[in-house]
Amino acid sequence: MTGLKSPRTICVTGAAGVVGVATVHELLEHGYRVNATDVSAHPAALPAQWSRADFQYTRADLTDYGDAVDVLTGADAVVHIANIPAPTLLPPARTLSANTTMNGNVFLAAAALGMSRVVYASSETTLGLNFEVPPRYAPLDEDHYPYPTTTYSLSKVLTETMADHISAWSGIPFVGLRFSNVIKPEDYQRFPSYWKDPAPRSFNLWSYIDVRDCALSARLSLEADVTGSSAYIIAAADTVMITPSAQLMAENFPTAEITKELGEFETLMTSERARAALGFEPRHSWRSHVQISQS
């Protein structure tokens, strides 16, 4: 099945969040109509210029299946970002229940409505974070799955399993995006504080992803010529550190196999499969924003 190469209407869930706002902007800038939704009221974070004919915002609670059907109705495809976004924000059981309920409702509504594509936010946490048990190898790829260590990461593993089956039942392509640690450009100024001690950032092998590249990956996932259900790591091409990547692994995870010769600051969580399947190439790096002399 081909992707959505002509202007279509896309439902973006979680549109009031950091990734959601960037995704709405990316889609509008590329000629899509956007039906946005979130559990909160229309947020100030959404630019005023989005008061336009090709954008509408609806407040909805996606743990309610009726709300999910309502907000998806009229859209050709969905970019589903809405979820509790981290392990420690709410009690573990509530995180698991809310995320799996939201995701199941959106997926089933998309199937019932015959949508042409489902793109959804998964997470790097499905790969074994925080690596209290060291990774088996690096750079990490999609085969280092599933290793959930919290109910948050378990909710994402269960979501990917739901996607596989509902895609098979419905024939709708599902694309999961395993986002690395999402960074806004203004947050890059914090990076020098990481450089003296690598340990605190070892939780995800010093990886990150610029929020604008999250949005890019979502758009490309709508447009890619894919079938079935698949999930991809979405990470920047480099690490957050000024220590060479090979040295970081040798000093912090000496038992992990290094499966290739690493570039000096090459990412240890690779997006090669997203590049091959979706055409995703990270466009942003902190190194163009921060002076190394600040260390």
Side-chain angles (χ1 to χ4, degrees):
M1 180 179 294
T2 58
L4 306 179
K5 293 184 172 63
S6 58
R8 299 288 186 89
T9 300
I10 311 301
C11 178
V12 177
T13 76
V18 172
V19 176
V21 168
T23 299
V24 170
H25 177 77
E26 174 78 12
L27 294 177
L28 290 175
E29 289 297 304
H30 285 82
Y32 290 94
R33 296 183 294 271
V34 175
N35 294 344
T37 186
D38 208 302
V39 72
S40 61
H42 192 295
L46 294 177
Q49 62 265 33
W50 290 0
S51 298
R52 46 196 274 180
D54 53 359
F55 174 81
Q56 68 177 36
Y57 185 91
T58 304
R59 187 175 185 179
D61 180 355
L62 297 176
T63 62
D64 182 285
Y65 178 70
D67 276 16
V69 171
D70 282 347
V71 296
L72 266 63
T73 296
D76 301 295
V78 60
V79 177
H80 175 47
I81 301 167
N83 259 193
I84 296 168
T88 58
L89 300 178
L90 293 172
R94 186 172 173 189
T95 299
L96 178 66
S97 176
N99 283 356
T100 53
T101 300
M102 276 187 267
N103 301 341
N105 283 345
V106 169
F107 292 176
L108 291 171
L113 293 168
M115 302 188 91
S116 60
R117 182 72 50 96
V118 175
V119 178
Y120 65 96
S122 187
S123 170
E124 65 180 359
T125 63
T126 61
L127 305 175
L129 281 65
N130 291 337
F131 296 119
E132 292 180 6
V133 176
R136 302 194 311 275
Y137 60 86
L140 219 61
D141 63 13
E142 285 79 0
D143 293 336
H144 206 280
Y145 170 93
Y147 286 95
T149 60
T150 65
T151 61
Y152 170 76
S153 56
L154 179 58
S155 77
K156 297 297 189 176
V157 170
L158 294 173
T159 293
E160 291 193 22
T161 302
M162 287 192 289
D164 291 345
H165 291 290
I166 297 173
S167 174
W169 299 343
S170 65
I172 298 170
F174 278 62
V175 181
L177 301 173
R178 294 174 182 159
F179 291 131
S180 187
N181 181 205
V182 178
I183 301 293
K184 296 181 291 184
E186 57 266 34
D187 296 332
Y188 286 140
Q189 299 305 316
R190 298 201 309 261
F191 280 30
S193 69
Y194 306 151
W195 298 340
K196 289 184 179 179
D197 181 8
R201 293 289 309 187
S202 67
F203 72 92
N204 74 341
L205 305 189
W206 307 276
S207 297
Y208 74 102
I209 185 68
D210 189 292
V211 67
R212 295 165 293 182
D213 286 331
C214 292
L216 171 66
S217 72
R219 177 175 62 82
L220 293 175
S221 296
L222 291 170
E223 297 170 350
D225 190 1
V226 296
T227 59
S229 175
S230 51
Y232 302 98
I233 293 170
I234 303 297
D238 58 349
T239 71
V240 303
M241 302 298 287
I242 58 172
T243 302
S245 299
Q247 182 180 339
L248 288 170
M249 289 302 297
E251 293 178 351
N252 293 271
F253 297 108
T255 62
E257 177 188 1
I258 306 303
T259 59
K260 57 169 284 189
E261 183 176 350
L262 293 169
E264 187 174 17
F265 304 116
E266 183 177 346
T267 182
L268 294 161
M269 191 174 292
T270 178
S271 297
E272 285 296 326
R273 294 190 191 178
R275 180 178 294 108
L278 308 176
F280 171 71
E281 187 81 44
R283 294 179 179 176
H284 299 92
S285 168
W286 67 267
R287 294 172 203 273
S288 62
H289 294 258
V290 179
Q291 295 297 319
I292 300 298
S293 61
Q294 293 179 23
S295 62

